[in-house]
Amino acid sequence: KSGSNPGSLNVYVKVNNGPLGSPIWNVSGPATDTWNEAQMAISTFWPNFYQVIFEVVTSGQHGYLAIDNVDVKGHPCDKTPHFVRLQNVDVNAGQFATFQCTANGKTTSSDRLWLQGIHGRDAPLKEIKVYNARRFVASFNVVNTTKKDAGNYRCVIHTEGGVGVSNYAELIVKEPPVPIAPPQLSSVGATYLWIQLNANSINGDGPITQREVEYRTTSGSWYDIQPVDSTSYKIGHLDPDTEYEISVLLTRPGEGGTGSPGPALKTRTKCADPMHGPRKLEVVEIKSRQITIHWEPFGYNVTRCHRYNLTVLYRYQVGGQEQVREEVWWDTENAHPQHTITRLSPYTNVSVKLVLMNPEGRKESQELVVQTDEDVPSAVPL
């Protein structure tokens, strides 16, 4: 090389007529009147074939760039390490891909090591472990991998004596599987849901090593995940008359192999038979023509359904004939429930009970017998 900054010399190693990739070695700068020697330790493996390509990029200034005595040796270089075979790495998207570059030879703190991607993405050195004077292992991480990071990578080391380059190894990035369709509903009960996973069609990569069902209430933050070993599954111990979202999770081999939940099936359990009828029915006021009753308040844990009604049933005798009446009580949110029965006859026995009903059943309270008061005589006309 002679002249004043005539340009730069790049060296490429091309494998099996593949892409040219990035240079593994280059030299540039002010010209000298001496030859520079560099060793290139190229790891070759049968049946691949390799090409060493020299490229000159001129600067536009006068000068000379020359190459002389390109010798191909059948033994290892003594001024730069040789890499052993670099292995392929298979990871799931979003994970770190770790390449272990093992080399025979010495390394010093002034050496530069990096992982070179064929499409231009490089990875810096993570750590280096020296096992003895003739072997070391350098580790590199390709972080937060995506499908775009997939491809061929190789190890490169620059030393004072030259450059060492490994074979290309493939980074295989797999997408965790996600079902395309939601699960299908087979049957519904008050406390269970039978579903078909419906997870044969997926986005992403297999093989599928684990299936799980994730289900949650549509209101609130409660959720659960259960492993599944068949194509159908019974989700039990659910709350009656409650809406759930159900999704399927699929997992492939490797860390980070669980995909996002698939599309959700939204469905509701049936109502269940009420736990019991209203309790502690008692009279709070008695008049000649009306009575007021009170009972213990109850909620969903008793009704086991959000759709229910409460009916006041009462009967009494008028002129030797039994009269049966019913009134629906609508004030279901009242924390102090009571109801007044009017238009009764004075000094009459009235039998009262409450009936709690939902779409799945009914429960009655105990019957209460009450006698209305005597009527107050009207004023005697003068």
Side-chain angles (χ1 to χ4, degrees):
K1 176 178 177 179
S2 62
S4 177
N5 292 318
S8 61
L9 174 65
N10 297 322
V11 180
Y12 299 84
V13 175
K14 189 175 177 180
V15 183
N16 297 335
N17 285 328
L20 189 63
S22 302
I24 63 164
W25 186 81
N26 59 63
V27 64
S28 61
T32 65
D33 56 1
T34 60
W35 290 98
N36 295 317
E37 180 184 276
Q39 295 183 356
M40 296 183 185
I42 302 171
S43 298
T44 60
F45 297 95
W46 186 88
N48 300 317
F49 61 92
Y50 302 81
Q51 293 172 285
V52 179
I53 299 171
F54 298 89
E55 175 190 62
V56 173
V57 180
T58 63
S59 65
Q61 299 182 20
H62 294 291
Y64 297 94
L65 287 166
I67 300 171
D68 190 23
N69 294 337
V70 178
D71 296 329
V72 179
K73 304 293 186 180
H75 55 77
C77 299
D78 56 6
K79 294 182 180 180
T80 189
H82 274 262
F83 289 103
V84 301
R85 181 185 286 274
L86 182 64
Q87 301 297 319
N88 295 338
V89 176
D90 186 330
V91 296
N92 293 305
Q95 302 302 305
F96 285 19
T98 301
F99 285 88
Q100 303 280 354
C101 299
T102 303
N104 292 325
K106 295 180 180 180
T107 184
T108 66
S109 59
S110 62
D111 294 341
R112 181 187 170 216
L113 280 140
W114 78 98
L115 186 72
Q116 186 184 75
I118 198 168
H119 297 304
R121 176 171 183 180
D122 295 345
L125 178 67
K126 177 191 174 188
E127 62 176 354
I128 186 168
K129 292 183 179 180
V130 178
Y131 286 90
N132 53 52
R134 299 184 61 182
R135 174 162 287 206
F136 64 89
V137 176
S139 298
F140 303 88
N141 278 344
V142 180
V143 300
N144 299 324
T145 54
T146 67
K147 284 283 191 180
K148 293 181 179 179
D149 297 316
N152 290 330
Y153 291 79
R154 62 187 175 187
C155 312
V156 182
I157 183 171
H158 278 190
T159 67
E160 291 184 359
V163 60
V165 59
S166 74
N167 63 297
Y168 275 119
E170 185 179 7
L171 171 58
I172 304 165
V173 180
K174 297 293 182 68
E175 288 288 345
V178 179
I180 292 175
Q184 295 177 334
L185 186 64
S186 297
S187 63
V188 182
T191 59
Y192 70 87
L193 296 167
W194 267 106
I195 62 166
Q196 298 289 328
L197 299 193
N198 194 29
N200 290 332
S201 297
I202 64 170
N203 289 319
D205 299 297
I208 307 302
T209 58
Q210 181 174 297
R211 296 170 177 83
E212 295 172 296
V213 170
E214 177 186 274
Y215 53 100
R216 63 181 68 238
T217 54
T218 56
S219 60
S221 58
W222 181 90
Y223 80 99
D224 194 13
I225 297 177
Q226 294 291 332
V228 179
D229 58 4
S230 63
T231 58
S232 62
Y233 185 68
K234 180 183 179 182
I235 306 172
H237 307 290
L238 302 179
D239 292 330
D241 194 25
T242 302
E243 189 174 60
Y244 290 89
E245 286 184 351
I246 307 167
S247 302
V248 175
L249 292 166
L250 301 177
T251 301
R252 70 174 308 276
E255 185 176 355
T258 301
S260 302
L265 165 67
K266 188 178 289 187
T267 188
R268 179 179 289 273
T269 52
K270 289 182 177 181
C271 293
D273 196 37
M275 288 291 291
H276 54 74
R279 291 178 172 175
K280 297 184 179 179
L281 180 60
E282 58 187 25
V283 177
V284 294
E285 185 180 41
I286 302 175
K287 294 184 178 181
S288 60
R289 297 183 181 273
Q290 69 180 44
I291 60 173
T292 300
I293 57 173
H294 168 82
W295 58 93
E296 183 180 66
F298 53 82
Y300 168 80
N301 61 325
V302 174
T303 64
R304 302 178 77 191
C305 189
H306 299 291
R307 296 161 292 138
Y308 68 93
N309 62 48
L310 184 64
T311 302
V312 181
L313 293 180
Y314 58 98
R315 55 190 175 86
Y316 56 93
Q317 296 280 339
V318 175
Q321 292 187 344
E322 185 177 62
Q323 303 293 316
V324 179
R325 300 284 187 269
E326 64 178 48
E327 298 176 7
V328 178
W329 187 70
W330 298 106
D331 192 13
T332 55
E333 300 299 322
N334 197 324
H336 303 283
Q338 65 179 35
H339 181 75
T340 300
I341 304 172
T342 60
R343 297 192 295 273
L344 298 173
S345 299
Y347 203 58
T348 301
N349 288 329
V350 182
S351 298
V352 184
K353 65 180 177 181
L354 302 181
V355 180
L356 173 62
M357 290 181 289
N358 68 28
E360 295 299 315
R362 57 183 281 162
K363 286 289 194 300
E364 298 180 353
S365 70
Q366 291 184 342
E367 193 169 54
L368 182 67
V369 178
V370 185
Q371 188 178 58
T372 55
D373 285 348
E374 290 184 290
D375 207 358
V376 177
S378 59
V380 177
L382 297 175

